[in-house]
Amino acid sequence: MDGITQHNTYRNDTGTAVPTIRIFKGDILHTPTPDAFEVVEDGFIIVDNGTVRRITSALPSEYANLPVADCNGSLIIPGFNDLHIHAPQYPMAGLGFDYELLPWLERYTFPAEANFADPEITQRWYKRFLNKLWSVGTLRFSAFATLHAGSTLELMRLSQRSGLRPVIGKVNMDRNAPESLIESTDDSLAATQKLIEKSRELTPDIGFIITPRFVPSTTPELMQGLGALVERYDLPVQSHLDENFGEIDWVRELHPDIPSYAEVYEHYGLMPEGRTIMAHCVHTSERERALLKARHVYLAHCAQSNMNLTSGIMPVRRNLDYGLTISIASDVGAGHVPDINHHIVQSIEASKMLSMLPEHQGERPLLLPEAFYMATKAGGSFFGRVGSFEPGYDFDALVIREDDNPLGLSPQERLERYIYAGDDRSITHRFVAGREIPLPFPDIA
Ligand code: GUN
Ligand code: FE
């Protein structure tokens, strides 16, 4: 591995390196709890078959003969997880932010997504998208594709080839969309079911996630049918919730008999416990918060998107104090870049902004280890034991090297500097469940 030095390469009787145990050496940082970084300077991570066995500051004698991958003073941190991203919106990320959500969807998003009926656009842009996520260190994510089943399957196949480990959903929408981006209820359900079965066969490492776009896009019959698929195939769900006042009013008009937006999803079986991601949750009511907590819903905090579309600011501190699970998400294309280090920063900035308002006075803004935890362990737990280096966790890791350290910064200070001012050029290696992942599609610019 370029940039990593192998020491003591151990060979067994047949002359091949022992495959199951790997040892990594470097400045290790992670957040087993949100309150502080755990830092092991010049330490060792012992990885067994892709899973972390332990972290130590000195190598125990039992491992003395094993190979050590020496990262030569680089930082080793958990990989980033993005719990809400729209793959087909990558080509239009950054456009149309003089509009709020509903006109932005009409003018920018829907026309952009309609392009993914085209196999050539699908190939080119989904490869670019996966290369980009790889480059910024997003190793696991939950993505919306489009309503096109063929194009969605292609994104799943390309993801399987890439070595990244997302869950992906075909978007369902059978009302309130333009002609080019609408399907009949029956077609939507049949195509979704077919895709669930096909992807289980063709893309075993890529999970399928049921993806009603949001309540205004899906009829009661479609939501009912998707709820039945959740139950039948034991699937997770992702959607949007309480992003914008116009959207919330619209849901109230469409479902006057259901007391809140969140309860519409619940009513139709679209809130499986511990397996649901709801993006935004900016304007949640008390009764919605109680439901989100009871169902252990993952709130995907999209601070950059919420600012771009003037949607609002999620009260993160109050939600955390209340006991909600919050992860960090890019929401590309309403977020303009996928880089999770930027979203960590923007989540902190949004929280600081709120804490300066009179009605939030005295509220502690989000701290860096808390935001890092949200982007690693909190989001990672959606995928299993992911996002930390505690024993039993998958070794999902980034090696981060910054060549200039003129002030003799500590490992934590170097991480802070990377999060605030660094970019993908500092990430030299990426591991998913112990396997190093190369650039997925070097053939594409
Ligand atoms: N609500 C429904 N669809 C979308 C989308 O594509 N992006 C955002 N930010 N909100 C949505
Ligand atoms: Fe979104």
Side-chain angles (χ1 to χ4, degrees):
M1 277 176 288
D2 198 25
I4 296 184
T5 316
Q6 292 281 347
H7 294 321
N8 304 338
T9 302
Y10 174 83
R11 299 196 175 275
N12 67 14
D13 297 348
T14 60
T16 54
V18 172
T20 68
I21 298 231
R22 296 200 63 196
I23 301 168
F24 295 87
K25 182 170 185 274
D27 292 339
I28 301 157
L29 297 102
H30 66 150
T31 42
T33 59
D35 51 300
F37 287 103
E38 182 177 285
V39 183
V40 185
E41 191 164 359
D42 218 15
F44 299 86
I45 305 184
I46 296 154
V47 177
D48 189 352
N49 223 350
T51 303
V52 176
R53 191 180 269 187
R54 59 192 285 202
I55 300 179
T56 68
S57 51
L59 195 61
S61 57
E62 68 204 90
Y63 300 114
N65 286 330
L66 295 181
V68 173
D70 187 347
C71 301
N72 298 306
S74 295
L75 305 174
I76 308 177
I77 65 169
F80 291 129
N81 306 300
D82 184 344
L83 253 54
H84 183 73
I85 186 162
H86 297 263
Q89 294 176 22
Y90 176 52
M92 51 150 288
L95 303 185
F97 297 153
D98 291 342
Y99 293 97
E100 289 194 16
L101 174 66
L102 299 175
W104 175 79
L105 285 173
E106 295 262 333
R107 288 168 199 244
Y108 289 88
T109 318
F110 292 156
E113 291 191 12
N115 285 312
F116 284 76
D118 179 338
E120 199 274 324
I121 288 178
T122 293
Q123 277 289 318
R124 178 151 40 97
W125 281 97
Y126 281 164
K127 282 181 174 173
R128 285 186 174 169
F129 170 76
L130 292 166
N131 276 353
K132 181 69 178 177
L133 291 201
W134 173 90
S135 81
V136 298
T138 298
L139 306 180
R140 310 225 188 197
F141 52 95
S142 186
F144 282 52
T146 58
L147 85 174
H148 313 99
S151 175
T152 304
L153 183 62
E154 196 50 36
L155 177 60
M156 297 183 85
R157 295 176 86 134
L158 293 169
S159 297
Q160 177 77 34
R161 273 171 64 191
S162 75
L164 303 173
R165 290 276 178 85
V167 295
I168 291 170
K170 169 196 145 31
V171 171
N172 300 99
M173 40 204 301
D174 69 341
R175 64 174 171 181
N176 296 317
E179 192 77 8
S180 59
L181 218 60
I182 202 158
E183 47 189 358
S184 76
T185 310
D186 288 347
D187 287 352
S188 184
L189 289 171
T192 303
Q193 183 167 4
K194 219 164 142 186
L195 200 48
I196 293 165
E197 302 207 343
K198 249 190 179 159
S199 65
R200 287 193 168 178
E201 180 192 327
L202 298 175
T203 61
D205 295 325
I206 310 302
F208 189 88
I209 181 163
I210 292 289
T211 308
R213 175 168 215 116
F214 66 158
V215 167
S217 301
T218 45
T219 59
E221 296 70 34
L222 180 54
M223 287 191 273
Q224 188 96 47
L226 292 174
L229 291 176
V230 169
E231 174 100 13
R232 175 166 175 187
Y233 292 95
D234 190 21
L235 290 173
V237 172
Q238 62 181 347
S239 197
H240 296 91
L241 176 64
D242 291 333
E243 177 174 1
N244 161 292
F245 290 124
E247 169 214 23
I248 295 168
D249 288 344
W250 196 10
V251 172
R252 202 175 293 123
E253 281 164 31
L254 290 167
H255 297 271
D257 299 333
I258 299 181
S260 71
Y261 190 166
E263 284 161 279
V264 179
Y265 293 119
E266 187 211 18
H267 179 81
Y268 291 106
L270 293 170
M271 207 176 264
E273 188 174 348
R275 311 197 67 202
T276 301
I277 301 169
M278 284 292 156
H280 304 285
C281 301
V282 175
H283 308 289
T284 48
S285 64
E286 276 310 308
R287 61 183 290 145
E288 287 182 306
R289 279 149 44 95
L291 176 61
L292 296 175
K293 184 175 175 179
R295 290 298 173 95
H296 297 108
V297 169
Y298 287 80
L299 277 64
H301 180 33
C302 310
Q304 187 175 80
S305 160
N306 295 339
M307 196 60 72
N308 284 338
L309 294 178
T310 328
S311 299
I313 300 180
M314 183 206 272
V316 172
R317 175 63 65 203
R318 290 181 186 179
N319 284 348
L320 287 174
D321 288 348
Y322 185 71
L324 296 174
T325 301
I326 308 178
S327 66
I328 283 189
S330 69
D331 194 29
V332 156
H336 45 275
V337 291
D339 310 53
I340 292 294
N341 59 323
H342 290 220
H343 295 285
I344 289 172
V345 171
Q346 208 140 5
S347 300
I348 294 170
E349 288 175 345
S351 173
K352 286 180 175 169
M353 236 178 275
L354 214 52
S355 77
M356 290 185 272
L357 299 178
E359 60 270 35
H360 289 265
Q361 225 174 33
E363 209 167 275
R364 193 161 56 105
L366 204 59
L367 303 178
L368 185 65
E370 292 178 299
F372 187 83
Y373 175 93
M374 285 160 58
T376 54
K377 189 172 171 181
S381 66
F382 182 79
F383 301 92
R385 290 169 78 77
V386 170
S388 173
F389 294 141
E390 291 157 87
Y393 274 70
D394 284 357
F395 183 66
D396 275 32
L398 307 176
V399 177
I400 300 202
R401 167 145 221 104
E402 300 217 54
D403 283 327
D404 59 328
N405 185 12
L407 299 174
L409 302 179
S410 69
Q412 182 170 329
E413 289 169 332
R414 281 154 53 215
L415 178 61
E416 290 179 19
R417 192 164 171 260
Y418 158 72
I419 289 172
Y420 269 84
D423 58 43
D424 57 327
R425 289 170 297 182
S426 296
I427 306 178
T428 59
H429 300 270
R430 298 145 183 91
F431 296 88
V432 174
R435 194 157 75 87
E436 179 157 20
I437 308 298
L439 176 67
F441 303 104
D443 56 307
I444 205 106

